[in-house]
Coordinates of all heavy atoms in Angstrom, one line a residue:
L1 N -2.6 9.6 -3.5 CA -2.8 8.3 -3.6 C -3.9 7.8 -2.4 O -4.8 6.9 -2.8 CB -1.6 7.4 -3.4 CG -0.6 7.6 -4.6 CD1 0.8 6.8 -4.2 CD2 -1.2 7.1 -5.9
G2 N -3.6 8.3 -1.3 CA -4.5 7.9 -0.2 C -6.0 8.4 -0.4 O -6.9 7.7 -0.1
E3 N -6.2 9.6 -0.9 CA -7.5 10.2 -1.1 C -8.2 9.5 -2.2 O -9.3 9.1 -2.1 CB -7.4 11.7 -1.3 CG -6.9 12.5 -0.1 CD -6.6 13.9 -0.5 OE1 -6.7 14.4 -1.6 OE2 -6.1 14.6 0.5
R4 N -7.4 9.3 -3.3 CA -8.0 8.8 -4.5 C -8.3 7.3 -4.3 O -9.3 6.8 -4.9 CB -7.1 8.9 -5.7 CG -7.7 8.8 -7.1 CD -6.7 9.0 -8.1 NE -6.5 10.4 -8.4 CZ -5.7 10.9 -9.4 NH1 -4.9 9.9 -10.0 NH2 -5.4 12.1 -9.7
G5 N -7.4 6.6 -3.6 CA -7.6 5.2 -3.4 C -8.5 4.9 -2.2 O -8.6 3.7 -1.9
H6 N -9.0 5.9 -1.6 CA -9.8 5.7 -0.4 C -9.1 4.7 0.6 O -9.6 3.6 1.1 CB -11.2 5.1 -0.6 CG -12.0 5.9 -1.6 ND1 -12.5 7.0 -1.4 CD2 -12.2 5.7 -3.0 CE1 -13.0 7.7 -2.4 NE2 -12.9 6.8 -3.5
E7 N -7.9 5.1 0.9 CA -6.9 4.1 1.8 C -7.2 4.2 3.2 O -6.5 5.0 4.0 CB -5.6 4.5 1.4 CG -5.2 4.1 -0.1 CD -5.3 2.7 -0.5 OE1 -5.6 1.9 0.5 OE2 -5.2 2.4 -1.6
F8 N -8.2 3.5 3.7 CA -8.5 3.4 5.2 C -8.7 1.9 5.4 O -9.3 1.2 4.7 CB -9.8 4.2 5.5 CG -9.5 5.7 5.3 CD1 -10.0 6.3 4.1 CD2 -9.0 6.5 6.3 CE1 -9.8 7.6 3.9 CE2 -8.9 7.9 6.1 CZ -9.2 8.4 4.9
G9 N -8.1 1.4 6.6 CA -8.4 0.0 7.0 C -9.8 -0.4 7.1 O -10.6 0.4 7.7
T10 N -10.2 -1.6 6.5 CA -11.6 -1.9 6.7 C -12.0 -2.2 8.1 O -13.0 -2.0 8.5 CB -11.6 -3.3 5.8 OG1 -11.4 -3.0 4.5 CG2 -13.0 -3.9 5.9
V11 N -11.0 -2.8 8.9 CA -11.3 -3.2 10.3 C -11.1 -2.0 11.2 O -12.1 -1.7 12.0 CB -10.4 -4.4 10.7 CG1 -10.5 -4.5 12.2 CG2 -10.9 -5.6 10.1
T12 N -10.0 -1.3 11.1 CA -9.6 -0.2 12.1 C -10.0 1.1 11.7 O -10.2 2.0 12.5 CB -8.0 -0.2 12.2 OG1 -7.4 0.1 10.9 CG2 -7.6 -1.6 12.6
G13 N -10.2 1.3 10.3 CA -10.5 2.7 9.9 C -9.3 3.6 9.8 O -9.4 4.7 9.6
R14 N -8.1 3.1 10.2 CA -6.9 3.8 10.2 C -6.4 4.2 8.8 O -6.5 3.4 7.8 CB -5.8 3.1 10.9 CG -5.9 2.9 12.3 CD -4.7 2.2 13.0 NE -4.7 0.8 12.6 CZ -3.8 -0.1 13.0 NH1 -2.8 0.3 13.7 NH2 -3.8 -1.4 12.4
P15 N -6.0 5.5 8.5 CA -5.5 5.8 7.2 C -4.2 5.0 6.9 O -3.3 4.7 7.8 CB -5.2 7.3 7.4 CG -5.1 7.6 8.8 CD -6.0 6.6 9.5
R16 N -4.2 4.6 5.7 CA -3.0 3.7 5.2 C -1.9 4.7 4.8 O -2.1 5.8 4.2 CB -3.4 2.8 4.1 CG -4.5 1.8 4.5 CD -5.0 0.9 3.3 NE -6.1 0.0 3.8 CZ -7.0 -0.2 3.0 NH1 -7.3 0.4 1.8 NH2 -8.1 -1.1 3.4
R17 N -0.6 4.3 5.2 CA 0.5 5.0 4.6 C 0.6 4.6 3.2 O 0.4 3.4 2.8 CB 1.7 4.5 5.4 CG 1.7 4.8 6.9 CD 2.5 3.8 7.7 NE 3.8 3.9 7.5 CZ 4.8 3.2 8.0 NH1 4.3 2.1 8.8 NH2 6.0 3.3 7.6
C18 N 1.0 5.5 2.3 CA 1.0 5.3 0.9 C 2.4 5.6 0.2 O 3.2 6.4 0.7 CB 0.0 6.2 0.0 SG -1.7 5.7 0.6
G19 N 2.7 4.8 -0.8 CA 4.0 5.0 -1.5 C 4.1 4.4 -2.8 O 3.2 3.8 -3.3
W20 N 5.3 4.5 -3.5 CA 5.4 4.0 -4.9 C 5.5 2.6 -4.7 O 5.7 1.8 -3.8 CB 6.7 4.6 -5.5 CG 6.8 6.1 -5.7 CD1 7.6 6.9 -5.1 CD2 5.9 6.8 -6.6 NE1 7.3 8.2 -5.7 CE2 6.2 8.2 -6.5 CE3 4.8 6.4 -7.5 CZ2 5.7 9.0 -7.3 CZ3 4.3 7.4 -8.2 CH2 4.6 8.8 -8.2
F21 N 5.3 1.8 -6.0 CA 5.4 0.4 -6.1 C 6.8 -0.1 -5.7 O 7.8 0.5 -6.3 CB 4.9 0.0 -7.5 CG 4.8 -1.5 -7.6 CD1 3.7 -2.1 -7.4 CD2 5.9 -2.3 -8.0 CE1 3.5 -3.6 -7.6 CE2 5.7 -3.6 -8.2 CZ 4.5 -4.4 -7.9
D22 N 6.8 -1.1 -4.9 CA 8.1 -1.7 -4.5 C 8.3 -3.0 -5.1 O 7.7 -4.1 -4.6 CB 8.2 -1.8 -2.9 CG 9.6 -2.2 -2.4 OD1 10.3 -2.7 -3.2 OD2 9.9 -1.8 -1.3
A23 N 9.1 -3.1 -6.3 CA 9.2 -4.4 -7.0 C 10.1 -5.3 -6.2 O 9.9 -6.6 -6.4 CB 9.7 -4.1 -8.4
V24 N 11.0 -4.8 -5.5 CA 11.8 -5.7 -4.7 C 11.1 -6.5 -3.7 O 11.2 -7.7 -3.6 CB 13.0 -4.9 -4.0 CG1 13.9 -5.8 -3.2 CG2 13.8 -4.0 -5.0
L25 N 10.1 -5.9 -3.0 CA 9.2 -6.4 -2.0 C 8.3 -7.5 -2.6 O 8.2 -8.5 -2.1 CB 8.4 -5.3 -1.4 CG 8.0 -5.5 0.0 CD1 9.1 -5.4 0.9 CD2 7.0 -4.4 0.4
V26 N 7.7 -7.1 -3.7 CA 6.8 -8.0 -4.3 C 7.5 -9.2 -4.9 O 7.0 -10.3 -4.9 CB 5.9 -7.3 -5.4 CG1 4.9 -8.3 -6.1 CG2 5.2 -6.2 -4.7
R27 N 8.7 -9.0 -5.5 CA 9.4 -10.2 -6.2 C 9.7 -11.1 -5.0 O 9.7 -12.4 -5.2 CB 10.7 -9.6 -6.9 CG 11.5 -10.7 -7.5 CD 12.6 -10.2 -8.3 NE 13.6 -9.4 -7.6 CZ 13.8 -8.2 -7.7 NH1 13.2 -7.4 -8.6 NH2 14.8 -7.5 -7.0
Q28 N 10.2 -10.6 -3.8 CA 10.5 -11.5 -2.7 C 9.4 -12.2 -2.3 O 9.4 -13.5 -2.0 CB 11.1 -10.5 -1.6 CG 11.7 -11.3 -0.5 CD 12.5 -10.4 0.5 OE1 13.2 -9.5 0.0 NE2 12.6 -10.5 1.7
A29 N 8.2 -11.6 -2.2 CA 7.0 -12.3 -1.7 C 6.6 -13.4 -2.9 O 6.1 -14.4 -2.4 CB 5.8 -11.3 -1.7
A30 N 6.7 -13.0 -4.1 CA 6.3 -14.1 -5.1 C 7.3 -15.3 -5.0 O 6.7 -16.4 -5.2 CB 6.5 -13.4 -6.5
R31 N 8.4 -15.0 -4.7 CA 9.4 -16.3 -4.6 C 9.1 -17.1 -3.3 O 9.1 -18.2 -3.4 CB 10.9 -15.8 -4.7 CG 11.3 -15.2 -6.1 CD 12.8 -14.9 -6.0 NE 13.1 -14.4 -7.3 CZ 14.5 -14.1 -7.7 NH1 15.4 -14.2 -6.8 NH2 14.6 -13.6 -8.9

C-alpha cells in the first residue's frame, strides 16, 4: 500500500504508516 500509493508526507517526506480501512474511525469523524 505504501509503495503503490506513494505514501510519503508532502511536507516532511516521512513514510506514512499504512493499514486497512477503519470504518469506525471515519464514521466517528463524519458524525
Side-chain angles (χ1 to χ4, degrees):
L1 294 175
E3 291 167 6
R4 198 182 278 178
H6 305 289
E7 298 295 354
F8 297 91
T10 300
V11 168
T12 64
R14 291 181 293 181
R16 297 172 185 143
R17 302 153 62 190
C18 298
W20 294 118
F21 188 89
D22 191 333
V24 181
L25 209 70
V26 178
R27 181 172 63 243
Q28 192 162 322
R31 291 186 180 183

